[in-house]
Amino acid sequence: MGITGLFLILFLIVHAGINACIFLNDNGKTFNDVAHFMSHNWIMRFLEIGLFSGLILHIIQGLKLWSQNNKARPIEYHYNQPSKNSKWYSRSMGILGTLLLLFLIIHLSNFYVGTKVALYSGDQYHNLFEEMKEDFSNYWIVLIYVIGVSALYWHLYHGFQSAFQTFGINHKRYTPILKFIGITYATVICILFALMPISMFFKWIV
Amino acid sequence: MEHYTMNLTLKVWRQKNKKTAGKLESYKVENISSEMSFLEMFDVLNEQLIIEGKEPIAFDHDCREGICGMCSMYINGQAHGPWQQNTTCQLHMRAFKDGDTIVVEPWRSAAFPVVKDLVVDRSSFDRIIQAGGYISVNTGNAVDANAIPIDKKNADDAFMAAACIGCGACVATCKNGSAMLFVGAKVSQLALLPQGGPERESRVLNMVAQMDVEGFGNCTNTYACEAECPKGISVANIARLNSEYLKAGLSTEEN
């Protein structure tokens, strides 16, 4: 769980970095060039297989945990107060993950499928930037993205530091630093991602 | 603190034996002193039930000093009740107000089957200890206390881990029913000391294997166990268990 999680965390840095090119406000030229490079490059296409394997493995591990943990308590408490001893997001990783998966399906059908169709139909210059602008002019798509990114925020907020505990790292000096890095990472990445649909919806980027 | 008495409604889990299904039943107790312990309040209730010709409620207890780990009880949605770093026997009735309703359930875990009412079978913990929670010792005369030098911090950390009384509140509290805090404490108290050295690898591998056989859940780092542990065992012990397990798993030559 921790290894695949950190792997996916690394991917998000690349993803957010590339997408942040839209903020250059050059009518999407830089962004489209980078997107073109990413989709027309065998190294990237090869790494993509690794990315999907990591994602699927992360989901399988999560499902396995969910099923084993359900069996560990066949009869629930009639009265329980979990909020007295733990944070809601730490207890909700499964639900947050499911939300993220639903969001990913919508997200991939919005952009990934279009990119791949363009690639194999021989469209030399697929204008992904225009596609984004079109999709993000819909307020409900923007809303779905903001909800998806919020789920991602809390998933990362718990997940980042949790991974290190799983690897056996719990240190008086380093753990607070790791927690700080995790929270900063989750905040920066999620603000960047949320700003993309929002700024396109309000036409801050044209 | 001023003394007061209270009348309470108790909703207690009643279950005849392992095989029958149980249910919550309501009882009223009156004139309970704020200076009674929670178990003394249960004694009063049981006296009452006996006089009424009913079956008294079975619950685990032994030392009633907060050091043996025998008492359990999930009180108002929390293991050992509302006070922190406290066992049920040391929970006093001043934690409650006149007219309160208190729900009392047994530990809920597949690995802790209910024997009767509030009594659960925690022998799964014993089997985990048997799988490796011991050290090999020299026979003969007792060795001089300071013959083996031990770093102060390691001695302190080992002592903190050894404070675990094996009550099972960590399992009862964990949303996954995981025993990682218990096993973490039992592995740590020996891994930190030179005496634990000879069985270091086999200990962690065997204890974790036994933990899985018993049907405990997995740790997802919610740290609810640490918050509810009557002895304040730190989740740093779970990290130590993870690191011991990874190292042993990588270096062992056995399958």
Side-chain angles (χ1 to χ4, degrees), chain B residues 5-246:
Chain B
T5 60
M6 63 197 99
N7 299 334
L8 301 164
T9 307
L10 295 167
K11 289 187 174 172
V12 184
W13 186 259
R14 299 306 306 263
Q15 183 171 336
K16 207 169 177 191
N17 53 43
K18 264 186 191 181
K19 286 174 190 131
T20 51
K23 64 173 194 303
L24 283 174
E25 278 192 30
S26 283
Y27 302 97
K28 294 233 185 270
V29 282
E30 285 169 1
N31 278 326
I32 295 297
S33 161
S34 59
E35 283 168 30
M36 277 182 182
S37 79
F38 200 80
L39 296 186
E40 281 168 335
M41 184 271 293
F42 256 75
D43 293 336
V44 170
L45 172 61
N46 272 347
E47 293 280 349
Q48 199 175 299
L49 290 174
I50 291 166
I51 290 167
E52 289 168 11
K54 291 177 187 157
E55 178 81 13
I57 300 160
F59 62 90
D60 267 329
H61 62 108
D62 193 10
C63 75
R64 297 206 181 194
E65 299 184 318
I67 53 170
C68 78
M70 197 62 199
C71 56
S72 47
M73 292 198 194
Y74 211 73
I75 301 160
N76 272 354
Q78 281 184 278
H80 294 296
W83 287 354
Q84 288 206 317
Q85 294 204 16
N86 192 71
T87 54
T88 296
C89 63
Q90 291 300 301
L91 174 67
H92 282 69
M93 293 313 292
R94 56 180 175 271
F96 302 95
K97 297 189 307 287
D98 186 33
D100 276 359
T101 299
I102 308 172
V103 182
V104 187
E105 292 177 76
W107 289 168
R108 302 255 184 230
S109 160
F112 292 162
V114 174
V115 178
K116 187 179 181 179
D117 298 336
L118 301 171
V119 177
V120 294
D121 178 359
R122 283 170 281 188
S123 55
S124 48
F125 268 11
D126 300 336
R127 289 187 290 274
I128 293 175
I129 297 285
Q130 281 161 10
Y134 50 79
I135 55 164
S136 51
V137 289
N138 296 322
T139 54
N141 288 342
V143 192
D144 188 49
N146 292 318
I148 307 169
I150 297 168
D151 180 74
K152 166 81 168 120
K153 186 179 184 305
N154 283 353
D156 285 350
D157 286 350
F159 191 81
M160 298 280 276
C164 169
I165 51 177
C167 66
C170 45
V171 176
T173 297
C174 175
K175 82 185 235 304
N176 308 321
S178 169
M180 288 285 276
L181 191 65
F182 169 77
V183 179
K186 297 301 173 193
V187 165
S188 288
Q189 65 180 7
L190 300 176
L192 284 161
L193 300 177
Q195 288 91 335
E199 297 99 352
R200 188 172 190 150
E201 264 186 18
S202 60
R203 171 181 308 115
V204 65
L205 294 174
N206 293 341
M207 286 177 84
V208 169
Q210 188 62 35
M211 174 179 83
D212 291 339
V213 167
E214 299 292 345
F216 291 104
N218 304 286
C219 179
T220 55
N221 304 331
T222 70
Y223 303 159
C225 51
E226 182 184 80
E228 294 289 354
C229 174
K231 297 295 153 188
I233 307 284
S234 161
V235 291
N237 291 301
I238 297 183
R240 193 176 293 107
L241 169 65
N242 286 334
S243 108
E244 289 287 317
Y245 185 75
L246 283 173

Side-chain angles (χ1 to χ4, degrees), chain A residues 65 68-69 71-81 84-86 90-91 158 161-162 165-168 170, chain B residues 13 74 76-78 105-106 108-110 171-176 217-218 220-224 228 235 239 242:
Chain A
L65 280 185
Q68 284 176 349
N69 294 344
K71 276 185 213 138
R73 177 160 301 137
I75 302 170
E76 277 297 323
Y77 290 105
H78 285 72
Y79 182 43
N80 203 357
Q81 296 201 72
K84 296 262 186 192
N85 50 45
S86 51
S90 75
R91 298 190 308 269
H158 176 71
Q161 52 88 25
S162 175
Q165 167 85 358
T166 303
F167 301 152
N170 187 321
Chain B
W13 186 259
Y74 211 73
N76 272 354
Q78 281 184 278
E105 292 177 76
R108 302 255 184 230
S109 160
V171 176
T173 297
C174 175
K175 82 185 235 304
N176 308 321
N218 304 286
T220 55
N221 304 331
T222 70
Y223 303 159
E228 294 289 354
V235 291
N242 286 334

